[in-house]
Amino acid sequence: MFCSEIIETKTTGMNKKSIFYSLLAALLLCCCKPTTRHGESQSKAESTDSVTTGTASKQTANTAAQIYAKQQIPVLCYHRIEDGKKGDYTVSKATFTSHMKVLADSGYHSVLPGQLYDYLVYNKSLPAKPVLITFDDSRAEHAAVAAPVMEKYGFRGVFFIMTITYDKKNYMTKEQIAGLAKAGHTVGLHSWDHTMVTKYKEAADWQKEVAEPKKKLETITGKPVEYWAYPNGVFNHAGAQELSKYFKLSFSLSTKRDSVVPLQTVRRIIVPECSPQSLLKSMRKNF
């Protein structure tokens, strides 16, 4: 309705005083009505919306105590995947394949460290029966054997790299590492030469084992390297605190977590040569 139409309607059967106030109200209504959201008016409105949305989307991070209290999820750690070898750190190719199959058949869903971080820190939901599948030591078969088997079942994993091993016999090439990142897997750091964190005494040690390798690995993958696996699974409180300056999450082995820095002491279990059902039993027992 135009302003003139409003005025005409209001004047019928009214005295002059009523007409005056009606006219004043109508003029105020027309003149003060917001303009369409274009140009400057639109920018201001969008700015307001942006501020409101930003405020609403801000999340409060959990405290260390809250993170420590959250339910842990199964985190598996593989090393060698090789036929004809024996040892606690070696599984055959057939065994690894059977492990991935039983996880898929049992309804497990692989998650990546970023999802675990959001779950621990911001209470984001995880898929039903989550499992994190990790690999240490940069072995060539991780790219040649493990990744294709996992991808067959719709899984993605985390590959922790010792950067001293680049392009060496039995270890991944830089191209394979980059390929894993491109395929949707996560690439993390496992130190430069597998020296334990408990032996880092000087600033130079941290540069050599953490800062410089992290930067080089990021150059190879083209992505931030935000996750760490402790050499030999060993950590101390001081080391865990220092690693929080570099990584969102750090992964140990079966050692008890540090309640002050739980994000830097996420537990894993080493997967040995075992039957698929033994793997499931171990997961239920340990997590």
Side-chain angles (χ1 to χ4, degrees):
M1 183 179 289
F2 295 100
C3 291
S4 59
E5 294 174 324
I6 296 174
I7 294 170
E8 183 179 356
T9 302
K10 294 294 183 180
T11 57
T12 304
M14 293 184 180
N15 57 33
K16 291 182 179 181
K17 189 174 182 180
S18 297
I19 292 173
F20 173 77
Y21 286 116
S22 297
L23 178 61
L24 180 61
L27 288 172
L28 288 172
L29 178 64
C30 292
C31 295
C32 296
K33 187 177 181 180
T35 59
T36 55
R37 296 179 65 175
H38 292 287
E40 184 178 25
S41 297
Q42 183 177 14
S43 298
K44 288 182 179 179
E46 289 175 349
S47 176
T48 303
D49 291 346
S50 175
V51 171
T52 303
T53 303
T55 302
S57 65
K58 283 184 179 178
Q59 302 177 46
T60 302
N62 286 331
T63 64
Q66 289 171 323
I67 292 169
Y68 189 76
K70 289 185 73 68
Q71 176 66 43
Q72 298 176 71
I73 74 165
V75 185
L76 309 180
C77 177
Y78 289 92
H79 287 80
R80 289 190 172 209
I81 303 171
E82 192 173 1
D83 293 337
K85 298 285 185 179
K86 292 185 178 181
D88 293 338
Y89 292 86
T90 303
V91 300
S92 69
K93 296 176 183 178
T95 294
F96 179 78
T97 301
S98 70
H99 287 176
M100 296 302 104
K101 184 178 187 302
V102 78
L103 290 175
D105 291 346
S106 301
Y108 280 92
H109 297 84
S110 69
V111 297
L112 293 175
Q115 293 171 276
L116 177 58
Y117 178 85
D118 286 342
Y119 160 74
L120 292 172
V121 178
Y122 297 115
N123 301 317
K124 295 288 185 67
S125 61
L126 291 173
K129 302 184 78 170
V131 60
L132 197 67
I133 307 167
T134 73
F135 303 83
D136 285 3
D137 298 347
S138 321
R139 297 284 303 178
E141 67 266 20
H142 295 168
V145 177
V149 172
M150 293 173 66
E151 290 165 12
K152 174 184 175 182
Y153 291 103
F155 294 159
R156 293 297 184 273
V158 193
F159 297 85
F160 291 109
I161 309 299
M162 289 187 300
T163 59
I164 197 174
T165 64
Y166 290 151
D167 301 320
K168 292 185 178 179
K169 184 180 180 181
N170 298 325
Y171 293 94
M172 279 192 271
T173 65
K174 294 176 184 176
E175 289 73 22
Q176 286 176 313
I177 294 169
L180 289 172
K182 186 176 181 180
H185 300 279
T186 296
V187 174
L189 184 61
H190 196 37
S191 79
W192 176 61
D193 65 354
H194 214 264
T195 298
M196 293 186 296
V197 166
T198 51
K199 295 184 177 181
Y200 303 172
K201 303 301 180 184
E202 307 292 337
D205 297 329
W206 287 94
Q207 279 294 116
K208 175 183 175 182
E209 297 290 342
V210 180
E212 292 175 4
K214 181 178 186 293
K215 187 179 296 184
K216 289 180 180 179
L217 196 53
E218 289 173 339
T219 300
I220 291 171
T221 63
K223 298 180 180 182
V225 172
E226 301 175 313
Y227 309 102
W228 165 273
Y230 292 97
N232 292 334
V234 175
F235 68 89
N236 55 17
H237 178 72
Q241 283 192 311
E242 185 67 18
L243 284 170
S244 66
K245 300 175 183 178
Y246 298 93
F247 304 104
K248 287 184 174 180
L249 298 174
S250 295
F251 294 82
S252 65
L253 288 175
S254 297
T255 314
K256 184 178 178 181
R257 293 177 297 159
D258 187 315
S259 62
V260 178
V261 280
L263 294 178
Q264 303 305 319
T265 55
V266 180
R267 290 178 57 253
R268 302 184 291 169
I269 56 172
I270 294 176
V271 183
E273 179 72 24
C274 66
S275 70
Q277 292 306 317
S278 293
L279 172 64
L280 295 179
K281 183 177 179 180
S282 180
M283 290 166 63
R284 290 191 292 267
K285 177 183 176 182
N286 285 282
F287 297 99

